[in-house]
């Protein structure tokens, strides 16, 4: 045996190198084999089963590589060399190989047994979250198989790790399904959907725990409990339970959100607005707190995030305060309810909120009052039932059976409504349910007892009424009108039988059963007969005296046909078909008569509308002829032709075969009178229009009808056109136009001669109105003549002889009065000229102040402008007569340079000495210019030459 000292240096160096490699290998393999799949959990991480699967698959692959390397030629040479060299690490190398082989066996066992679970988990990852719950059993079944088949994973530590990883997988899937940090945003978006999602998650995770418990119990029973799980369950579900607790907190918040849906609450009643406002305040405060919680940055789906718990606690505290406010509101609203329906409405409106025990427990007194209201209402119904039962037995004035049955149904419905109202809030008043139910049942029993006693009597009455109806004729004649003698009885009987058909256990006797069997046909027949009788009576009742002879034959035919119905009853075979046949026959006759009457109404409307036709019309402020009158003429002609067409249609509708018959002639005379009345009203309307417009007492401020002008001619003032001739002719033409309209419609009556104008020639009303018009014309003529006579005060202006008057003025200084003789001559002074000119200017002002137009008798407008213009011309001519004389004197005077000579010449010419300055100033006042003044000033002459003092 060689020692290390005996070896060659090269062998020692090689041995040392091999031992160093073995030491390194031993460390690496030992470190690798010591790796723990539970390490991430120990480090506080949250691994999923996939990490477990990856761990064992990687471990198996690496161990296979290690053993492959240790089995290689190089590794065998190293092992041989160490053995031959009796190296100290030969056993170490063998131990490394054994440990690797043992680890390989363990990894193979783990991979083989975990593979089914891995496939199941991979399939779960492909499913939507709501489908996971149905696959929990399969997952736990695979875990169960791993536990009982694996030699190494039957270790409690390993199976706890595997179950924790499975829990982590479902927790993360749940958080992803709930959108993690966004889970609280659903409070303001879609709380109901999020709450459903939270419930799905809770049920899914709870199912996982349930399946775990199920397999744990199975393991305790299998093989006498040889493979049972003895480890505590909380080691597996610690994080899952924390997550479920967090889900409960989230669920509670969402439940509160859905319970506090107060946005649409509106309280009725006297103080409803006050309570509604208070509810709105609570709602707004709640929504504010809800928004704060929804906007929080914490992750509500992570149990380790403690900030959400603090915010949820703060939210619940605010909710508690809001609950107290709601209790106050509900107490007030319920205390004001005096009917159970009103209280139930309030409870139903606040139903979600009342599911909260904190609110419901404080409203016990109010809920008890609600029960009292329900019981009180049932007591009222019960008293009515007892009263009805007592009267039904003792009183001879009892209601009919049908009425009694309807009344009992109504009471039963009322009691049912009360019970229904209570049942809608029954979950809030469970302890009172039995009391309410018993009282309702007692009412139902009493009503049933009454109904049972009434049914038999009802059956007998129905049969009696049915027999009475069947004995009466279907139709009868009463004063030329038809009527259904059994109509009201039949309606009542059909109503009662219909009600009887709804009653259970009601015996229908033969007559009643027969009518019930034919009920639908009887109803149709009755409706048809009602329509027939109504139509027939309408034809008879609305018939005109002139129409009756035309429809006499057809009416008699229909009467005899309808009276045949007296031979049958309502239950006779084919009665409805017979009714329809007779109805169709009557419809043809009825339609023809109605169309003829409609034509008659149309003719009446046409002739009545003529009253409003304008035969005399205004154009602006004056009467006009032409346009409107011609349109009215055209309208009357067309309407007359339409009347003829309608008369022709009626002859066909009435079936007139001989148009010369007395019956048809009388009918035409009737229509002829309608047309004549319409024409008369048209003429009266237009004549009345003229008369009213010409009457100052009746026609108030409507303006002028016609206009004339007052002209000033050499012979004097005259009206143009003439009032006595031209104006009279104008009005006669208007009246003639009005009467001419009466000749336009064609005559209807064949026995009358001439047109409607000739027929109305001697009508007193027309003559009276025509006389009024002509009288108004005379009145306006008289008033106009008075106006003209009043203006004749200016006649001296055009009647006087200018030259003679001027000569008289120059001789005597004034106009001589009539009869004056032997007057001393006195030539006029300048003041006399000024007096005459001033008088003329005053007349000129008086003429200017006259109105341009004058309304005579309220309707004749007189144009005074031509008259005023003529007067002004005459006045200006008179003024010019005086001013021209003075101007002539001035010019003559100014033609002399020598003032003395001028003065002498003036004296010779006028006999008077006029102050030149005043003379010129007088001329200037009447706008007469003296152009020579400028020339005189330029030549140094004098304008004024005063006479010398003598």
């Amino acid at each position: 045996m060689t020692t290390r000292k005996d070896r060659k240096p090269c062998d020692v160096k090689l041995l040392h190198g091999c031992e160093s490699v073995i030491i390194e290998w031993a460390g690496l393999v030992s470190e690798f084999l010591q790796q723990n799949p539970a390490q991430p959990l120990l480090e506080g991480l949250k691994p999923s089963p996939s990490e477990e699967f990856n761990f064992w698959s990687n471990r198996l692959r690496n161990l296979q590589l290690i053993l492959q390397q240790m089995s290689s030629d190089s590794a065998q040479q190293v092992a041989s060399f160490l053995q031959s060299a009796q190296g100290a690490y030969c056993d170490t190398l063998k131990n490394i190989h054994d440990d690797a082989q043992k680890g390989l066996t363990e990894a193979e066992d783990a991979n083989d047994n975990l593979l089914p679970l891995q496939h199941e988990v991979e399939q779960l990852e492909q499913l939507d979250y709501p489908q996971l719950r149905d696959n929990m059993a399969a997952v736990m079944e695979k875990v169960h198989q791993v536990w009982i088949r694996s030699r190494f994973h039957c270790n409690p530590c390993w199976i706890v790790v595997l179950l924790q990883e499975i829990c982590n997988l479902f927790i993360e899937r749940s958080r992803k399904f709930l959108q993690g940090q966004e889970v609280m945003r659903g409070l303001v978006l879609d709380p109901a959907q999020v709450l459903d999602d939270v419930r799905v998650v809770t049920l899914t995770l709870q199912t996982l725990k349930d399946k775990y418990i199920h397999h744990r119990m199975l393991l305790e029973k299998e093989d006498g409990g040889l493979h049972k799980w003895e480890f505590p369950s909380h080691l597996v579900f610690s994080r899952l339970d924390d997550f479920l607790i967090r889900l409960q907190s989230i669920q509670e918040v969402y439940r509160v959100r859905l319970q506090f849906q107060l946005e649409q609450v509106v309280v009725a009643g006297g103080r409803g607005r006050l309570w509604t406002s208070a509810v709105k305040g609570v709602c707004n405060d709640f929504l504010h707190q809800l928004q704060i919680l929804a906007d929080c940055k914490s992750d509500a789906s992570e149990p380790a995030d403690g900030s959400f718990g603090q915010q949820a606690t703060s939210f619940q505290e605010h909710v508690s305060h809001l609950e107290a406010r709601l209790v106050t509101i509900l107490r007030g609203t319920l205390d004001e309810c005096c009917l159970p329906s009103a209280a139930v409405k309030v409870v139903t409106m606040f139903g979600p909120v009342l599911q909260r025990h904190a609110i419901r427990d404080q409203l016990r007194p109010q809920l008890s009052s609600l029960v009292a209201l329900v019981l009180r209402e049932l007591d009222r119904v019960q008293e009515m039932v007892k009263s009805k039962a007592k009267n039904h037995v003792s009183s001879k004035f009892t209601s009919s059976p049908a009425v009694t049955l309807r009344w009992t149904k109504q009471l039963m419905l009322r009691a049912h409504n009360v019970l229904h109202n209570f049942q809608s809030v029954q979950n809030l008043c469970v302890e009172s349910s039995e009391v309410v139910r018993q009282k309702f049942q007692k009412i139902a029993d009493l009503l049933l007892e009454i109904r049972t006693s009434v049914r038999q009597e009802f059956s007998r009455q129905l049969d009696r009424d049915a027999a009475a109806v069947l004995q009466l004729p279907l139709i009868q004649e009463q004063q030329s009108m038809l009527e259904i003698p059994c109509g009201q009885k039949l309606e009542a009987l059909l109503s009662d039988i219909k009600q009887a058909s709804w009653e259970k256990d009601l015996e229908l006797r033969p007559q009643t059963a027969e009518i019930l069997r034919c009920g639908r046909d009887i109803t149709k027949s009755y409706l048809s007969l009602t329509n027939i009788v109504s139509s027939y009576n309408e034809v008879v009742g609305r018939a005109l005296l002139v129409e009756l002879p035309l429809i006499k034959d057809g009416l008699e035919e229909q009467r005899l046909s309808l009276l045949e119905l007296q031979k049958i009853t309502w239950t006779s075979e084919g009665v409805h078909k017979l009714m329809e046949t007779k109805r169709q026959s009557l419809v043809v006759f009825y339609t023809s008569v109605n169309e003829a009457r409609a034509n008659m109404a149309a003719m009446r409307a046409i002739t009545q509308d003529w009253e409003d036709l304008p035969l005399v019309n205004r154009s602006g402020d004056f009467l006009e002829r032409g346009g409107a009158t011609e349109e009215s003429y055209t309208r009357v002609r067309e309407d007359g032709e339409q009347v003829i067409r309608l008369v022709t249609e009626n002859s066909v509708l009435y079936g007139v075969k001989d148009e010369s018959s007395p019956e048809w002639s009388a009918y035409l005379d009737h229509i002829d009178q309608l047309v004549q009345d319409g024409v008369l009203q048209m003429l009266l309307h237009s004549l009345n229009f003229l008369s009213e417009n010409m009457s100052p007492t009746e026609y108030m401020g409507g303006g002028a009808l016609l206009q004339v002008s007052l002209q000033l001619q050499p012979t004097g003032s005259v009206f143009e056109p003439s009032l006595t001739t031209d104006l009279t002719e104008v009005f006669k033409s208007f009246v003639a136009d009005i009467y001419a309209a009466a000749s336009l419609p064609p005559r209807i009556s064949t026995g009358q001669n001439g047109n409607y104008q000739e027929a109305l020639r001697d009508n007193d009303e027309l003559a009276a109105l025509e006389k009024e018009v002509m009288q108004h014309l005379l009145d306006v003529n008289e008033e106009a003549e008075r106006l003209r006579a009043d203006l004749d005060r200016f006649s001296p202006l055009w009647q006087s002889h200018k030259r003679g008057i001027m000569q008289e003025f120059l001789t005597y200084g004034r106009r001589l009065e009539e009869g004056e003789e032997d007057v001393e001559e006195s030539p006029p002074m300048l003041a006399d000229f000024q007096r005459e000119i001033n008088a003329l200017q005053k007349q000129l002002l008086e003429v200017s102040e006259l109105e341009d137009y004058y309304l005579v008798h309220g309707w004749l407008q007189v144009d005074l402008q031509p008259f005023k213009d003529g007067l002004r011309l005459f006045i200006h001519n008179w003024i010019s007569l005086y001013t021209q004389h003075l101007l002539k004197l001035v010019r003559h005077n100014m033609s002399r340079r020598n003032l003395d000579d001028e003065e002498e010449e003036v004296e010779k010419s006028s006999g008077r000495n006029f102050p030149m300055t005043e003379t010129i100033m007088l001329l200037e006042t009447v706008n007469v210019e003296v152009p020579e003044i400028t020339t005189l000033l330029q030549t140094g002459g004098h304008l004024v030459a005063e006479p010398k003092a003598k």
Side-chain angles (χ1 to χ4, degrees), residues 225-245:
L226 182 63
H227 299 288
K228 64 180 180 180
W229 286 335
E230 295 180 341
F231 51 85
S233 298
H234 71 83
L235 295 178
V236 176
F237 298 109
S238 175
R239 183 166 181 256
L240 185 67
D241 289 339
D242 291 341
F243 185 67
L244 287 172
I245 292 172

Side-chain angles (χ1 to χ4, degrees), residues 54-308:
N54 292 334
F55 174 84
W56 290 110
S57 62
N58 291 334
R59 189 181 185 94
L60 177 61
R61 187 169 54 254
N62 289 330
L63 286 172
Q64 287 172 343
L65 291 174
I66 290 172
L67 289 173
Q68 185 180 355
Q69 291 176 359
M70 294 184 71
S71 300
S72 64
D73 294 340
S74 299
Q76 292 299 323
Q77 290 176 3
V78 170
S80 298
F81 175 74
L82 287 175
Q83 188 174 9
S84 63
Q86 296 182 354
Y89 290 95
C90 285
D91 294 336
T92 300
L93 183 61
K94 183 177 182 302
N95 291 336
I96 291 173
H97 183 273
D98 293 343
D99 291 342
Q101 186 62 49
K102 182 179 179 182
L104 178 63
T105 303
E106 181 184 10
E108 288 176 343
D109 177 80
N111 275 282
D112 291 342
N113 288 285
L114 289 176
L115 187 60
L117 178 61
Q118 181 178 357
H119 290 331
E120 187 65 34
V121 170
E122 289 174 352
Q123 290 178 3
L124 287 178
E125 290 177 346
Q126 303 302 318
L127 298 176
D128 292 333
Y129 190 89
Q131 298 175 306
L132 296 181
R133 184 183 176 191
D134 296 334
N135 292 272
M136 292 299 177
V139 172
M140 201 53 65
E141 176 64 28
K142 299 302 184 293
V143 174
H144 185 135
Q145 296 300 322
V146 170
W147 171 259
I148 62 175
R149 293 177 181 177
S150 174
R151 289 187 299 160
F152 299 96
H153 269 79
C154 59
N155 187 317
C157 294
W158 280 7
I159 205 68
V160 166
V161 169
L162 181 60
L163 289 171
Q164 286 181 347
E165 290 171 344
I166 291 173
C167 290
N168 289 337
L169 169 66
F170 285 108
I171 289 173
E172 293 309 313
R173 284 294 304 273
S174 299
R175 293 185 64 204
K176 184 177 180 181
F177 177 65
L178 296 175
Q179 298 182 354
Q181 291 184 340
E182 298 298 320
V183 66
M184 299 310 293
R185 295 297 301 167
L187 288 170
V188 294
L189 298 176
D190 192 356
Q193 181 60 49
V194 176
L195 182 59
D196 288 342
D197 292 345
V198 172
R199 288 170 178 164
V200 169
V201 171
T202 303
L203 289 174
T204 301
L205 299 181
Q206 191 61 49
T207 301
L208 177 64
K209 293 185 68 175
D210 293 342
K211 297 305 177 183
Y212 164 81
I213 295 172
H214 173 71
H215 284 278
R216 186 184 183 100
M217 294 173 64
L218 287 177
L219 289 171
E220 290 180 355
K221 296 177 182 179
E222 292 178 354
D223 299 330
L226 182 63
H227 299 288
K228 64 180 180 180
W229 286 335
E230 295 180 341
F231 51 85
S233 298
H234 71 83
L235 295 178
V236 176
F237 298 109
S238 175
R239 183 166 181 256
L240 185 67
D241 289 339
D242 291 341
F243 185 67
L244 287 172
I245 292 172
R246 176 55 57 86
L247 288 179
Q248 290 178 359
S249 299
I250 296 173
Q251 193 170 1
E252 177 59 25
V253 171
Y254 272 93
R255 190 178 295 110
V256 172
R257 170 65 186 98
L258 294 176
Q259 289 172 342
F260 274 73
Q261 290 185 351
L262 305 172
E263 291 87 346
Q264 304 300 324
V265 171
V266 177
V267 182
R271 296 202 298 167
R273 186 174 297 178
L274 174 65
W275 295 126
T276 301
S277 176
V279 173
K280 294 296 182 187
V282 172
C283 181
N284 291 335
D285 291 347
F286 175 74
L287 293 177
H288 175 67
Q289 296 299 325
L290 203 68
Q291 190 66 50
I292 293 174
L293 190 60
D295 293 338
C296 68
K297 302 302 181 182
S298 58
D299 187 353
S301 66
E302 176 52 63
D305 190 345
S307 60
F308 172 76

Side-chain angles (χ1 to χ4, degrees), residues 80 87 115 148 150 276 294 385 397 444 756 828 865 880 925:
S80 298
L115 187 60
I148 62 175
S150 174
T276 301
V385 174
F397 301 105
Y756 293 108
Q865 289 182 352
S880 178
T925 59

Side-chain angles (χ1 to χ4, degrees), residues 59 154 193 204 260 274 282 390 403 422 488 546 574 637 897 948:
R59 189 181 185 94
C154 59
Q193 181 60 49
T204 301
F260 274 73
L274 174 65
V282 172
K390 181 179 179 181
V403 172
F422 176 75
Q488 294 181 350
V546 295
R637 290 191 192 96
R897 296 273 186 161
K948 293 182 180 180

